[in-house]
């Protein structure tokens, strides 16, 4: 019985991607061209954010159109302390995760009372409130944002000032995030979340307070995305309300759908495709958004499993 | 002397102008199989919905093991020991058969907020799920995806999930719905085994099944109980004949 469940096979696409990401700094070291390092860094940070969104959207069936709020909260949790010359990374990250969790708890408690399109709109509305909240605080730059002059430090051990250090910090964070989400989704809690996505009415009937489970899942997702936001603030050295614009939330949804919603590695493929395509298309044409839209339509119509679905079909994933 | 496990008194529910449950009172005794029959639109499914907590009555009271559960949500009733099956198959599509049942099992052993240990490696959980599947004759189908099962197997899984919550009272909403004779016989055998150790409230259209299984029958018409008693007394009850079959007819037809 166990064999059927724990059938293990190598995931070539994942192993190759991780290998490439791990070795990229060496390549950059040799060529001195750190453009790709920045690209991959952004890719991985957005991948963590997409992984967190996938937890509620893909696994839990909660379509949040406001997930960028947590990127903003995370980034400001680095930026505002830095403004007061507090650069302690542990403090900043704990703040990012905690404030994100509280924001998720408060907004989720209200949002999860609604369903379908109402849920989508209300999550977006809360994020817009956070957006305008930040815009209105002149002290922290308001509309113009805030420059982070020094990246996070971790005592005397290390700091993220060096791009390669930051890169590996993000790299390890991504791997740990994927591992955590995998464990969560295979746990009893994860089974309840999957069940609630599939048939909430039956789940209630067999004894689950699905609202509470979904809320916990929503908070976990917010915490992880807040963490990604803290990395993003460090990476960009500059934070602004733009980070939590509703289009940023849309882009995260785009990544999840493109990569394969509900698949563990889907968000990784989605974020990678998004960042690389954006880079490539925008160098060819200013109308690159048009091609993005067309691609999403094609994926939704003809490849419901997204990129991960296509990869498994040709035996490269799962 | 048998104890009353479920006591419904003066239950009423209207939808707009339609009276679905009309001042209904009935008792279910510990260990019995109590069948509810009635023509289409008699309010049978509405009654199940009120007993399981999906809708709340306008008036009246439901006592389960002397506890007032009238306004409790479904998940709390499940914890108290009431389980239901659905007339229209309601399962977790996209998951394995055994996962469906294991979810029902873990719901009632009180440890669902576990975030780290893989649920599928939990031997106790798996074993009780397998036991419940055996009970409804689905052994060997554990690792099939729910959507790949036949209609009959879906109906069996419906019952297995209800059973896996270890209920004191089973509410079965037309377990034979849409079944052929052969599949129906299978379910009938399952129910015959089950009734020996579970209290069951059964809603069923198939009269052969009802009379083969029921210890007591209540006849529902327009949301009202017009008769209640042993199968024999229901068979010969004039009011039942009139309401249920028209003025002329026979319950066995």
């Amino acid at each position: 019985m166990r064999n059927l469940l724990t059938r293990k096979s190598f995931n070539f696409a994942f192993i190759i991607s991780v290998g490439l990401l791990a070795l990229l700094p060496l390549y950059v070291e040799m060529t001195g061209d750190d453009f790709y390092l920045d690209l991959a860094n952004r890719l991985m940070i957005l991948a963590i954010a997409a992984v967190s969104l996938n937890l509620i959207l893909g696994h839990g069936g909660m379509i949040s159109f406001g997930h960028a709020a947590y990127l903003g909260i995370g980034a400001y949790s680095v930026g505002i302390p830095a403004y007061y010359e507090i650069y302690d990374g542990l403090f900043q990250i704990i703040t990012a995760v905690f404030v994100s969790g509280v924001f998720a708890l408060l907004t989720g408690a209200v949002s999860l009372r609604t369903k379908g399109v109402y849920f989508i709109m209300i999550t977006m509305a809360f994020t817009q409130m956070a957006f305008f909240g930040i815009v209105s605080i002149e002290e922290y730059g308001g509309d113009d944002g805030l420059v982070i002059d020094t990246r996070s430090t971790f005592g005397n051990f290390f700091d993220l000032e060096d791009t390669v250090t930051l890169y590996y910090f993000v790299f390890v964070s991504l791997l740990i995030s994927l591992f955590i989400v995998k464990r969560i989704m295979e746990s009893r809690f994860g089974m309840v979340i999957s069940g609630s996505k599939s048939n909430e009415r039956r789940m209630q009937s067999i004894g689950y307070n699905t609202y509470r489970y979904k809320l916990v899942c929503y908070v976990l997702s917010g915490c992880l995305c807040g963490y990604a936001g803290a990395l993003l603030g460090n990476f960009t050295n500059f934070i602004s309300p733009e980070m939590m614009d509703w289009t940023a939330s849309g882009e995260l949804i785009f990544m999840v759908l493109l990569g394969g919603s509900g698949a563990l590695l889907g968000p990784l493929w989605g974020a990678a495709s998004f960042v690389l395509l954006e880079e490539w298309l925008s160098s060819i044409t200013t109308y690159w958004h048009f091609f993005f839209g067309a691609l999403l339509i094609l994926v939704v119509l003809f490849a419901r499993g997204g990129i991960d679905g296509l990869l498994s079909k040709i035996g490269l994933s799962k | 002397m048998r104890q009353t496990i479920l006591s419904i008194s003066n239950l009423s529910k209207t939808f707009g102008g339609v009276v679905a449950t009309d001042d209904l009172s009935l008792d279910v005794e510990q260990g019995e199989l109590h069948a509810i029959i009635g023509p289409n639109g008699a309010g049978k499914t509405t009654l199940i919905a009120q007993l399981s907590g999906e809708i709340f009555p306008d008036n009246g009271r439901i006592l389960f093991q002397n506890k007032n559960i009238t306004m409790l949500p479904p998940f709390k009733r499940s914890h108290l020991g009431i389980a239901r099956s659905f007339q229209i198959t309601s399962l977790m599509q996209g998951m394995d058969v055994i996962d469906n049942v294991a979810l029902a099992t873990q719901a009632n052993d009180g440890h669902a907020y576990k975030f780290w240990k893989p649920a599928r490696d939990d031997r106790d959980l798996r074993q009780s799920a397998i036991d419940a599947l055996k009970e409804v004759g689905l052994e060997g189908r554990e690792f099939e995806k729910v959507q790949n099962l036949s209609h009959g197997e879906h109906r069996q899984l419906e019952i297995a999930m209800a059973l896996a919550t270890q209920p004191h009272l089973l509410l079965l909403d037309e377990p034979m719905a849409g079944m052929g004779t052969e599949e129906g016989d299978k379910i009938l055998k399952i129910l015959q085994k089950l009734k020996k150790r579970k209290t069951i409230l059964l809603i069923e259209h198939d009269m052969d099944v009802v009379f083969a299984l029921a210890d007591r029958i209540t006849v529902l018409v327009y949301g009202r109980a017009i008769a209640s008693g042993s199968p024999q007394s229901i068979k010969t009850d004039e009011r039942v004949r009139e309401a249920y079959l028209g003025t002329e007819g026979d319950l066995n037809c």
Side-chain angles (χ1 to χ4, degrees), chain B residues 35-37 174-177 179-181 184-185 188 202-213 244 251 253:
Chain B
I36 293 182
I37 61 173
E174 295 203 29
M176 311 277 192
M179 305 264 270
T181 335
D185 281 348
L188 181 60
L202 171 74
I203 287 180
E204 186 49 59
H205 261 304
D206 188 326
M207 286 307 148
D208 292 337
V209 172
V210 170
F211 285 106
L213 288 171
Y244 201 73
L251 273 178
C253 72

Side-chain angles (χ1 to χ4, degrees), chain A residues 1 4-5 183-184 186-189 191-192 198-199 201-204 206-209 212-213, chain B residues 54 75 78-79 86 90-93 103 106-107 109 111-112 114-117 119 122 126 143 158:
Chain A
M1 158 196 150
L4 278 159
L5 298 173
R183 288 299 291 238
I184 289 178
E186 286 171 358
S187 73
R188 285 183 172 217
F189 175 80
M191 298 297 284
V192 177
S198 173
N199 190 342
R201 180 182 178 207
R202 186 59 188 254
M203 287 297 284
Q204 289 169 350
I206 59 176
Y208 291 104
N209 184 354
R212 273 218 337 237
Y213 284 89
Chain B
E54 291 202 334
F75 71 90
S78 170
H79 292 282
F86 288 78
S90 178
L91 304 162
M92 271 65 91
Q93 305 282 338
L103 270 172
Q106 82 170 41
D109 69 5
H111 300 293
K114 277 188 176 170
F115 298 87
W116 204 246
K117 243 178 80 188
D122 191 325
R126 292 268 128 175
F143 299 104
E158 268 291 330

